[in-house]
Amino acid sequence: MQLEALFGRLWEEYICVAPQAGAIHQAFLARGELVVNDHVALRTFDQAPISLVCLERHLLERGYRRLEPYRFQQKKLRAFGYVHPHAPRVFLSELLTGGFSPRLRAIVSACCAAVPLDAAADPRILFAGRLWPPVAWEDYQVLRQESDYAAWVAALGLRANHFTISVNALQHFTEVAEVVDFVESLGFPINEEGGRIKGGPAVLLEQASTLADPVEVPFAGNACQSVPGCYYEFARRYPDADGQLYQGFVTASADRIFESTDTRS
Ligand code: NI
């Protein structure tokens, strides 16, 4: 599967659970904008056959290379940034389940054990969605208490968690703040956790995101519930000391952006 087709399918599956992203994308195009994808973020669990290492091979085989590792101590995640000369950056993270309760680990292990091995060998796993039977609503609550990230992956499976509009590539906007104001004027709420705008010129990356669209998903026993789905992100990159546009990610900012899919009550 070629990268262009892979990103096309990632986008299609993404806008199914984030209709706001389709609408925001269209609104920028309607203003004559050039919408370039800065990066796509993927989430997974640290267990075969869907661990970070299992998934990244589909990227590495298609010309991506690992850039930098990232660690999120409190959320118990690790991640890598991946770059490619002709395709968007990828931010792939995984939940480090060893630091959680036996109950969480048992629920996650049951999900991972149900993934067919042939599915893991196919690059389409990156947008395959949930590859295990629907979890019980009670189990979802158990996961959510310990990790919103775990609950999100268990309910929604493998898919793009967000796409990101490159603010650098926009023709009529310069500042992330202007982009955020425009998105909000369209009626889409912004994630305010840690401030509307995360990072800035000092860390060479400035980011903001919407709040995830709620999405109805099935739970065990055919009971559908509304849970946080996917969100859209906006990123502006600054040149480093060598004049090269920064290619990495910023842990402190990403830490708060993860919270775009937290359940709010
Ligand atoms: Ni991101």
Side-chain angles (χ1 to χ4, degrees):
M1 184 173 211
Q2 302 288 313
L3 279 175
E4 201 175 322
L6 194 150
F7 277 96
R9 290 297 310 276
L10 273 168
W11 174 259
E12 284 168 30
E13 294 299 327
Y14 164 68
I15 58 174
C16 285
V17 290
Q20 57 163 289
I24 293 167
H25 186 258
Q26 281 304 321
F28 277 103
L29 294 183
R31 286 188 49 137
E33 274 299 354
L34 183 63
V35 181
V36 172
N37 184 18
D38 180 272
H39 67 271
V40 171
L42 307 170
R43 295 177 170 186
T44 194
F45 295 128
D46 67 346
Q47 293 180 25
I50 60 165
S51 66
L52 180 146
V53 167
C54 297
L55 297 186
E56 74 167 5
R57 64 172 260 223
H58 299 298
L59 300 173
L60 301 177
E61 283 169 1
R62 284 164 183 77
Y64 273 90
R65 66 179 177 87
R66 266 188 183 181
L67 192 64
E68 285 180 335
Y70 305 96
R71 198 65 178 234
F72 302 87
Q73 296 293 351
Q74 212 193 340
K75 292 184 171 68
K76 302 186 179 76
L77 304 168
R78 73 161 185 156
F80 283 96
Y82 300 83
V83 290
H84 189 283
H86 313 295
R89 299 166 193 84
V90 173
F91 181 83
L92 171 58
S93 60
E94 71 180 353
L95 188 73
L96 302 171
T97 52
F100 290 94
S101 72
R103 185 139 184 228
L104 178 142
R105 294 207 302 274
I107 298 166
V108 168
S109 295
C111 293
C112 297
V115 176
L117 291 182
D118 57 338
D122 189 317
R124 290 176 293 186
I125 193 169
L126 299 176
F127 50 82
R130 184 173 42 73
L131 289 159
W132 42 85
V135 297
W137 179 241
E138 305 77 57
D139 286 347
Y140 178 84
Q141 299 300 332
V142 168
L143 298 181
R144 198 173 66 74
Q145 274 186 358
E146 291 191 55
S147 165
D148 276 287
Y149 181 108
W152 188 91
V153 177
L156 291 161
L158 304 177
R159 57 178 61 255
N161 170 264
H162 61 268
F163 274 68
T164 310
I165 290 181
S166 165
V167 175
N168 300 67
L170 294 174
Q171 309 290 299
H172 310 291
F173 297 85
T174 310
E175 305 290 335
V176 175
E178 297 173 90
V179 170
V180 162
D181 288 346
F182 174 60
V183 170
E184 205 167 39
S185 77
L186 300 171
F188 301 103
I190 301 300
N191 172 9
E192 312 263 354
E193 296 294 336
R196 281 160 73 81
I197 296 175
K198 283 87 170 159
V203 293
L204 307 180
L205 178 62
E206 198 170 8
Q207 291 163 274
S209 66
T210 61
L211 285 177
D213 273 321
V215 58
E216 289 272 320
V217 302
F219 285 89
N222 284 330
C224 276
Q225 298 279 355
S226 178
V227 299
C230 297
Y231 57 91
Y232 216 176
E233 191 177 303
F234 316 97
R236 179 181 182 188
R237 293 178 182 275
Y238 291 86
D240 63 17
D242 300 328
Q244 301 295 313
L245 210 59
Y246 179 63
Q247 297 296 311
F249 295 90
V250 176
T251 309
S253 304
D255 194 54
R256 306 319 295 271
I257 287 181
F258 275 120
E259 294 168 16
S260 305
T261 57
D262 284 8
T263 302
R264 273 142 235 282
S265 47

